[in-house]
Structures are given as C-alpha cells and as structure tokens.
C-alpha cells in the first residue's frame, strides 16, 4: 500500500502525521518505509537520530529502499504545484490531507480535493492540532469539509506539546518526555489518535479496492488456471 501525505502549506503537521502513521504500522510488525519527498527534508531531519521504528529515506533512494516494503508512506511536498501533485498522486493508493481548523487550511484542503477528484484515488482529511478547549471549531471544520464531499476521518489529532517534545528527541509521541526528563502525561492521547487514523485508512483503502477492481490490460484474464478449468 502506498500512502502520500500531502498539503498545500506548512504548519499542518504533515511530517508529524507521516512519521506517526508509519510508526503505528511499523509497531504492528509490518515492513514500512517512510519516503521524504519534501524539499525541506523535514522527515529526514526527524529521523536523523535513527530512533524511529522504520527507515526514513529521501525520494532519490526510494526505488531500492522500498522493494521489500509492505507499506510506503510518502511525506509529500507542501505545494500547490499541480504537476508535483500529479506525480505524487500517480504513485499512491491513498492520499491523506492533514488539515487544521483554521479557515485558510480548510480552504486549501477543499482546493486540493477538487484537483484530486480527477485522479479517482481515495483520499481523506485528517484534522490535526485540535484544541480540546475548542470543540466547536473542530465540529465546524468537519462540517465544512463534508459539505464539499470530503471524507473526514473520525480520528482527530490533539494539540499537544508532547508532539514538539517528541520531534526534538527524534522519537514518536508515545516516547515524549518533558524538560525534566519525565514521560509526558498526555503523550498517549496523540499516539492513540494516530493509531485510530491508521485503522480508518486501512478500512477506506480496502473499501475502495473492493468497489473499483482495476481491469486487466487489453482484456487479459489473470484468474488462476484451476478456477477457469473448473468453470
């Protein structure tokens, strides 16, 4: 499965989402590779200490590094360039669009979804940096996105200082520690939210796969010979 995490602006937890989704599946003993396709190399910097549960490689090394992977997560470029987006989309089975509750972020996600529709690839928005003290803002953001027929994951990524602490240490949020070296008491809220997002992505991907089985080229029949003979 190839998943691209994409956004049109910085500050929407794109790299954080890429890292944690990859880590969640890695911890399930799946072979996962995180590909850094962002010119800023944010994912590479995040994983520079080698403490993440899966390898992080630049896009130039992706061909060799992903040969044996079961899941490839691509941390895409934060860009509105249609050609760049087209290239990333063509190499993906699912697109994840991290989105904050801010109006500009929602607008950009709506714009991107309109471009994505022409490729007929499943995608969904993931609300990130959700302030628990502003539940109304998250609800309003979800409703606005849904009005444009955008699938919004039920999982919401909370606004936590633990994410910043984790990135500073080069680890995932479940291992975040505070300035005194103690485990951040809210760290598991962030980890649980991303774990739930992974389950939803799997379900959406499987549903799309069932509903849109791609046809074989020029009518080739790949049905196993024993099944054809039995028919």
């Amino acid at each position: 499965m190839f998943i691209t995490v994409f956004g049109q602006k910085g500050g929407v937890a794109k790299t954080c989402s890429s890292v944690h989704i990859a880590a969640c599946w890695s911890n399930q003993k799946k072979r996962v590779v995180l590909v850094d396709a962002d010119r800023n190399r944010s994912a590479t910097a995040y994983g520079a200490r080698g403490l993440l549960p899966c390898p992080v490689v630049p896009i130039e090394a992706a061909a060799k590094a992903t040969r044996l992977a079961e899941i490839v997560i691509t941390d895409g470029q934060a860009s509105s360039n249609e050609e760049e987006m087209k290239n990333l989309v063509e190499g993906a089975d699912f697109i994840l669009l991290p989105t904050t509750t801010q109006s500009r972020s929602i607008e950009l996600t709506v714009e991107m979804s309109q471009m994505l529709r022409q490729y007929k690839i499943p995608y969904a928005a993931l609300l990130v940096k959700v302030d628990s003290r502003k539940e109304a803002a998250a609800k309003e953001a979800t409703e606005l996105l849904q009005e444009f027929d955008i699938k919004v994951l039920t999982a919401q990524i909370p606004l936590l200082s633990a994410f910043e602490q984790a990135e500073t240490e080069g680890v995932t949020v479940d291992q975040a520690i505070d300035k005194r070296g103690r485990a951040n008491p809210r760290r598991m809220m962030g980890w649980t939210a991303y774990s739930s997002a992974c389950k939803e992505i799997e379900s959406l991907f499987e549903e799309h796969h069932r509903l849109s089985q791609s046809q074989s080229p020029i009518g080739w029949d790949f049905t196993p010979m024993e099944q054809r003979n039995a028919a």
Side-chain angles (χ1 to χ4, degrees):
M1 180 164 59
F2 294 85
I3 298 174
T4 296
V5 183
F6 210 47
Q8 286 186 293
K9 65 185 291 292
V12 293
K14 180 174 61 63
T15 296
C16 179
S17 296
S18 300
V19 166
H20 282 85
I21 288 171
C24 285
W25 275 316
S26 292
N27 285 357
Q28 296 176 21
K29 306 303 180 183
K30 295 181 179 178
R31 297 188 302 276
V32 183
V33 176
L34 174 54
V35 176
D36 191 348
D38 193 325
R39 286 188 291 268
N40 293 328
R41 290 294 188 257
S42 299
T44 301
Y46 197 132
R49 296 189 181 188
L51 301 177
L52 296 177
C54 67
V56 181
V57 300
I59 193 168
E60 295 82 1
K64 182 177 180 180
T66 61
R67 283 184 302 180
L68 301 178
E70 295 177 88
I71 301 175
V72 177
I73 311 294
T74 299
D75 183 24
Q77 174 69 26
S79 170
S80 58
N81 183 286
E82 190 168 353
E83 188 62 27
E84 287 184 350
M85 187 179 75
K86 179 176 180 292
N87 292 335
L88 288 172
V89 167
E90 287 183 344
D93 296 315
F94 188 92
I95 303 291
L96 184 66
L97 305 173
T99 309
T100 68
T101 58
Q102 297 177 349
S103 58
R104 183 54 180 159
S105 180
I106 295 172
E107 290 172 3
L108 291 173
T109 296
V110 171
E111 290 178 9
M112 183 165 289
S113 71
Q114 292 173 345
M115 289 188 283
L116 287 172
R117 286 197 179 102
Q118 64 183 303
Y119 300 109
K120 297 181 180 180
I121 186 171
Y123 63 89
L126 171 65
L127 287 184
V128 297
K129 298 185 177 181
V130 177
D131 192 333
S132 60
R133 299 165 297 183
K134 301 178 181 179
E135 294 183 2
K139 181 179 179 181
E140 182 179 354
T142 299
E143 292 174 349
L144 283 170
L145 292 167
Q146 290 175 338
E147 285 179 8
F148 287 92
D149 200 27
I150 298 172
K151 172 65 180 178
V152 183
L153 299 187
T154 302
Q156 296 180 356
I157 311 305
L159 177 65
L160 300 174
S161 61
F163 282 116
E164 295 179 9
Q165 294 165 355
E167 184 173 359
T168 298
E169 297 297 322
V171 297
T172 48
V173 70
D174 57 310
Q175 301 178 51
I177 57 175
D178 61 22
K179 294 180 180 179
R180 297 182 181 181
R182 299 175 301 188
N184 189 297
R186 303 184 69 195
R187 68 193 188 282
M188 294 311 297
M189 291 176 59
W191 180 257
T192 300
Y194 273 117
S195 296
S196 297
C198 283
K199 292 178 182 178
E200 288 188 74
I201 292 170
E202 286 181 342
S203 296
L204 290 172
F205 170 75
E206 291 171 358
E207 179 183 2
H208 177 79
H209 186 67
R210 286 196 303 270
L211 295 176
S212 58
Q213 291 287 342
S214 58
Q215 295 184 348
S216 303
I218 61 173
W220 292 350
D221 186 356
F222 289 116
T223 305
M225 183 62 72
E226 58 271 20
Q227 293 183 18
R228 281 185 278 172
N229 289 337

